[in-house]
Amino acid sequence: ADHVFQLLKIKIKIFMDLTVISPLLSSSVLISYSHTYNSELKRSPLSIVTALVDKIDMRQHVIYPDCDIKFTGHVTWVGKSSIEAKIHMSQYRDGAYASVLDATFVMVARDPGNKRAAFVNPLTPEGPEEERLLQEGEANKSRRVELSTASLLKVAPTQEERTVVHGLFLNTLDTNTVSFRSRILPPNSVWMEDAKLKGLEICHPQERNIFNRIFGGFLMRKAYELGWANACSYGGCRPSLVAVDDILFQKPVEIGSLLMLSSQVCYTQGTYVQVRVHSEVFDPLTRQHNTTNIFHFTFTSDRDVPNIMPKTYGGEPVQTGNS
């Protein structure tokens, strides 16, 4: 964890919470290049790409557009070719820097020559604090592996999940007809199929990265804006971001692609709204759709929101979080 860096204070205008995602991603890439720096070459010999946004936790709901922002971070764990980097963002206000958000990214090293995975420098912790961070990184890796095997496409629902699904079904069953096709919407509730919002983006060259692919920060920002708009229309007020869960970059997005975004309110509790945004690329020549990302955003409102209710079995696993 020797490669600790601190970016210069910068002033940036922030119109929505996650317009800071581009500097967040840039910071994680910068620290990964710092970790793989070669003193003889005076640069890193590797290419670094974003594999996963592990977590983004908001500490404050308001980011001021006229106050200095500072990013700090360090490498917390490395594998053979992967690097986990933690980024902390703070903002100067009332004479001191206050925490705004914490983010964890997983980067992957590639050999620029053959585009294959490349080995990265090992990480040697110094002191109890770095030991703790390294242990947290190991735990994060184990959690990611466990979650990757929990998809309904691979395993059946657990007993607890089956109980939740059955309870949702019984709560909407028409007792007069006792039919699977006859469902009744409970009071202060919305059917899941009626809480959707879609969007389309044409991926222009100005949004490209150094690999001539669409920058991941642009994809995240567009997904966030759609998810925020869906949560706003669902709750009837302007929501605030609370957290961003795992974002896996499954496939790169080429310049000129038609990026199709579909948002879905999938869970609610009190003032909280969780929105799932599915991102896919449509190829007009082959008529094929390829998933690039799945985003999960958690928002909070200043009032209680309606309960979201699945009407089909396909919607129920989404609400239980096993999609």
Side-chain angles (χ1 to χ4, degrees), residues 182-249:
S182 181
R183 308 284 289 275
I184 295 179
L185 185 66
N188 191 34
S189 301
V190 176
W191 289 124
M192 188 176 285
E193 61 185 23
D194 297 327
K196 297 180 179 180
L197 199 61
K198 297 185 178 182
L200 172 67
E201 295 290 336
I202 300 176
C203 300
H204 296 287
Q206 59 264 34
E207 306 298 344
R208 67 188 176 189
N209 57 21
I210 61 174
F211 305 105
N212 280 322
R213 304 282 177 75
I214 298 301
F215 179 49
F218 171 79
L219 304 177
M220 291 183 63
R221 181 165 63 87
K222 290 301 179 181
Y224 165 75
E225 291 174 352
L226 183 65
W228 182 92
N230 197 357
C232 181
S233 61
Y234 183 84
C237 59
R238 297 175 66 89
S240 299
L241 182 69
V242 175
V244 181
D245 288 326
D246 295 356
I247 300 175
L248 177 63
F249 291 89

Side-chain angles (χ1 to χ4, degrees), residues 136-302:
E136 288 182 1
E138 290 285 356
N140 289 339
K141 177 197 173 184
S142 301
R143 175 179 53 82
R144 289 191 290 266
V145 171
E146 183 179 351
L147 288 176
S148 68
T149 61
S151 171
L152 280 177
L153 300 177
K154 298 179 181 179
V155 297
T158 64
Q159 180 59 49
E160 181 182 0
E161 290 167 341
R162 289 195 294 268
T163 301
V164 171
V165 169
H166 189 63
L168 291 171
F169 168 72
L170 292 178
N171 195 36
T172 59
L173 182 65
D174 187 349
T175 56
N176 294 325
T177 60
V178 194
S179 170
F180 281 92
R181 295 185 179 182
S182 181
R183 308 284 289 275
I184 295 179
L185 185 66
N188 191 34
S189 301
V190 176
W191 289 124
M192 188 176 285
E193 61 185 23
D194 297 327
K196 297 180 179 180
L197 199 61
K198 297 185 178 182
L200 172 67
E201 295 290 336
I202 300 176
C203 300
H204 296 287
Q206 59 264 34
E207 306 298 344
R208 67 188 176 189
N209 57 21
I210 61 174
F211 305 105
N212 280 322
R213 304 282 177 75
I214 298 301
F215 179 49
F218 171 79
L219 304 177
M220 291 183 63
R221 181 165 63 87
K222 290 301 179 181
Y224 165 75
E225 291 174 352
L226 183 65
W228 182 92
N230 197 357
C232 181
S233 61
Y234 183 84
C237 59
R238 297 175 66 89
S240 299
L241 182 69
V242 175
V244 181
D245 288 326
D246 295 356
I247 300 175
L248 177 63
F249 291 89
Q250 300 181 24
K251 289 186 178 181
V253 178
E254 304 291 343
I255 296 172
S257 297
L258 298 180
L259 183 68
M260 306 179 71
L261 299 167
S262 302
S263 68
Q264 168 76 73
V265 175
C266 58
Y267 183 78
T268 58
Q269 182 177 347
T271 62
Y272 292 94
V273 180
Q274 189 172 78
V275 181
R276 178 181 186 268
V277 180
H278 178 259
S279 169
E280 63 181 1
V281 169
F282 173 65
D283 189 335
L285 300 180
T286 62
R287 315 296 294 179
Q288 290 185 340
H289 294 255
N290 292 309
T291 297
T292 60
N293 305 89
I294 296 178
F295 306 84
H296 292 90
F297 302 101
T298 302
F299 300 92
T300 184
S301 301
D302 57 7

